[in-house]
Amino acid sequence: MTVLLLFGLVLVLIQIILVRRIAFRPIPWFTRMAASARLKSPYAYGGFLFIVNMVIFLVITALVVFTVMMNVAFSLFLFAGAGAFISFMIWIQMSISREGTKKEKRIIGGIGSAFYWVLTVYLLLQIFLLPPSAPEQDPFMQFVGLLMGVVISLTAAVSCWVTVYLAKGKPVNPVSR
């Protein structure tokens, strides 16, 4: 588990370095969406990011469960990698397509990553509520699975907030597109 935690920390540090050094170009659809009247408030925009994170998580989880039920090998790694890549690209696009202060980006990132924070708390509660050991049960493996879920969701929460806060780019004018 220590190796998993260290790996997650290294990935977050690499992500921080890359997001700060690369200037991304916004996709016009994200710019138009960020300029819509319903998403003018950073709270509404953060709520939209919350919903996007939830949808990405649910779709990737459904794909993994479906392929595991069909005995497709390595589907977890394929879909987890694809989900992480898609999440990072959406977080970056949502951050750079909206002009705003650092405070607004902190609000958007905090509300948007709240889904992963809630998931982390839920998984921690499940760890504390594990039943006592019995001969016919294996709570240790449940503990390991829940702990891996905590590490992954905690890494996703921190990565979402950091990406939204630190991503830089030049927003294009939505009217000119």
Side-chain angles (χ1 to χ4, degrees):
M1 283 301 135
T2 306
V3 172
L4 188 61
L5 285 170
L6 182 63
F7 184 67
L9 178 65
V10 167
L11 285 178
V12 169
L13 291 175
I14 290 171
Q15 174 241 344
I16 290 171
I17 292 169
L18 288 178
V19 168
R20 284 306 296 163
R21 292 183 183 248
I22 300 173
F24 296 94
R25 188 169 188 272
I27 297 173
W29 183 84
F30 282 99
T31 306
R32 285 191 303 270
M33 182 208 39
S36 71
R38 291 185 180 174
L39 298 177
K40 281 292 184 191
S41 165
Y43 298 101
Y45 201 67
F48 181 70
L49 181 58
F50 179 92
I51 292 170
V52 167
N53 283 337
M54 186 171 50
V55 167
I56 291 172
F57 176 80
L58 293 175
V59 167
I60 296 299
T61 302
L63 287 172
V64 167
V65 169
F66 179 71
T67 55
V68 166
M69 288 174 54
M70 296 185 64
N71 291 327
V72 177
F74 298 109
S75 66
L76 173 66
F77 300 114
L78 175 69
F79 289 125
F85 179 76
I86 290 168
S87 295
F88 276 114
M89 290 300 112
I90 288 177
W91 297 337
I92 289 169
Q93 287 298 321
M94 288 189 74
S95 176
I96 65 174
S97 63
R98 177 184 170 90
E99 292 183 19
T101 63
K102 291 290 187 180
K103 180 181 178 185
E104 287 180 349
K105 289 200 178 213
R106 282 194 302 263
I107 292 170
I108 293 167
I111 293 173
S113 66
F115 172 75
Y116 293 113
W117 289 112
V118 169
L119 184 62
T120 301
V121 169
Y122 173 76
L123 293 172
L124 281 172
L125 287 175
Q126 291 300 312
I127 287 175
F128 292 124
L129 297 175
L130 276 176
S133 182
E136 65 275 357
Q137 296 177 344
D138 191 7
F140 177 73
M141 289 310 291
Q142 289 177 346
F143 172 77
V144 170
L146 289 170
L147 190 61
M148 287 176 62
V150 166
V151 169
I152 291 168
S153 61
L154 186 62
T155 303
V158 171
S159 295
C160 178
W161 188 84
V162 166
T163 302
V164 170
Y165 182 66
L166 294 180
K168 65 178 182 176
K170 293 184 177 180
V172 294
N173 187 357
V175 178
S176 67
R177 291 257 172 202

